[in-house]
Amino acid sequence: RHASSSDVIGSRLRYLNREFTVIGVAPTVFTGTIAESPADVWLPLTQVLAPDSEMWTRARFLKLMGRLGPDTTLAGALAEVSAIAGANQRIGVAAGANGFSSLRERFTKPLLILQVLVGLVLVVACANLANLLLARSASRQREIAIRLAVGASRGRLVRQLTTESLLLSLAGGALALPVAALLTSAVVALLPPAFSGAGAQLDLRLDRALLLFAVGVSIVTALVCGLAPAMRATRVHARTSLRGRLAASDGRSLTSRALVACAIALSLALAVGASLFVRTLYNLWNRDNGFAAEQVVVAELDLRPGMRAFPTTVQKEDLLARLRALPGVEAVGYSRIGQLSGGLVEFTIDMPGESFTPEQREERRTAGEQSISPGFLDAMGTRILAGRDVANGDRAETLQVALVNEAFVRHYFSNRAGAVGGRFSTSTGEFEVVGVVQDAKWVDLREGPRPMFYRPMLQAGRPGATFAVRTNRPAHDIAQELHREATAAGVSLRDIVPFTEVANRTLASERMLALISGGIGLLGLIMVAVG
């Protein structure tokens, strides 16, 4: 923006409808504390949030970073933090040199699994190579016998044969490097669009460490695969071999068969493992998740800083009516937090007549809370099993009501009939249960059934909203109309996508595992067939 001029210090920039003075410039490599969402501007928190803002006490958005003193250990810091936390034992300490990264937590195990699978493919390749070298040594017995007869030492022949194996292995490693670069880019391309920014932050260069690793693996492979065949090839009797009476030994035949059996077993293990990953992905997507993802388009209200003011309830209801009137729309509603967006608000549940000490309350079971509008459950295809849906008449001045899911009924009531009309309390007040809905996944598709209750958005008064539109029209056809109606209602929408894409985002690691492990399994079968 300033042509790298040092005069940027002291200049002014406008952000959040306010002016700020630039007081410093961070290095290019510094992306902030969250690796997958690099920041461009850093603002003093006390100048962005008012001192009396509820965000200070109710939100969990803060990422705390601290630098240890020169004589302080991580264990000592943890002890101090535990003392400060007191009875709240949810605070922990971890090394923060690499910042916070949800992607690192999410993909560490899958990548380790893939590394093991690749290691198995390497073992199959080693078995193939060792078998080929055994066969080659059998065809060179007369040559080796002549070399021994004219005075060559066995050690020199072993070094020669091992050197040949090393050249083969290094040639394979050199050919693998450009292929690895292409495949690595293909793996990153498997990440869903929501993680495209994170993919740009990954360092995929073939640096010195990777080159040394490739060379090291090639050398180890050559020694493992070439040394034993070289030792066996030089174990011949020159006179017998020169007379043409040497046949393949039983030992060599048994070794060759054992290598073939090992390669087949490993390739089948790879194929079975790949099929299990594919089956897991299929089960996650096709089991009853409590919603019907097809023909649903979702769009989130744009509440980013610098955009318009928070939408009012009147604006959201106006947009809801406008969307309901669009041709091809079968149902429409909105929720405070989008389904499968990875977020959920939880509350401790109190039932009538129960009392707990503060320590006991910490151990109480919790339930997820979701604020919804009338029509949202219909739009998502979530069935109401008993009672009624939230209604336009459920407003702030009326009795607080809620719908609960089947898991909530199992935890806190005896049956559905007993749940409807029952009551429970949270820190936000007392609720009367007016309906029971089927269990539905909210955070992601991996989670099991969790107790949840749905309260009317008009009683909750939350600013955010994610609209769900069930339509018989293609998603890209209706997106422009959603933008137009939002502008007419005085609000902005973003991330207008089919809900199937949202669901796919939650399965990014499973899909990556299934595709790559399937490719690795196929590669293993091809290699063992060739071998």
Side-chain angles (χ1 to χ4, degrees), residues 31-37 63 65 94-112 191 195 198-199 201-202 509 512:
T31 60
T33 57
I34 304 178
E36 53 261 32
S37 55
K63 306 291 187 184
M65 301 285 286
N98 295 319
F100 296 92
S101 175
S102 60
L103 283 181
R104 182 168 60 237
E105 296 176 1
R106 185 171 180 179
F107 287 102
T108 294
K109 289 183 179 179
L111 290 176
L112 288 175
L191 294 175
F195 297 147
Q201 299 300 315
L202 299 178
S509 56
M512 182 181 71

Side-chain angles (χ1 to χ4, degrees), residues 31 126 150 242 255 286 290 296 365 377 381 402 408-409 475 498-499 501 508 529:
T31 60
C126 289
V150 297
L242 289 174
T255 302
N286 288 280
V296 177
R365 291 170 297 192
L377 296 175
F408 193 104
V409 172
F499 186 66
E501 180 177 323

Side-chain angles (χ1 to χ4, degrees), residues 8 58 92 182 252 301 306 344 349 351 366 387 446 450 476:
V8 67
R58 296 186 62 182
L182 292 175
R252 182 180 291 113
L301 281 181
L344 189 68
I349 303 299
M351 303 302 291
T366 60
R446 303 176 199 85
R450 70 166 74 225
H476 63 272

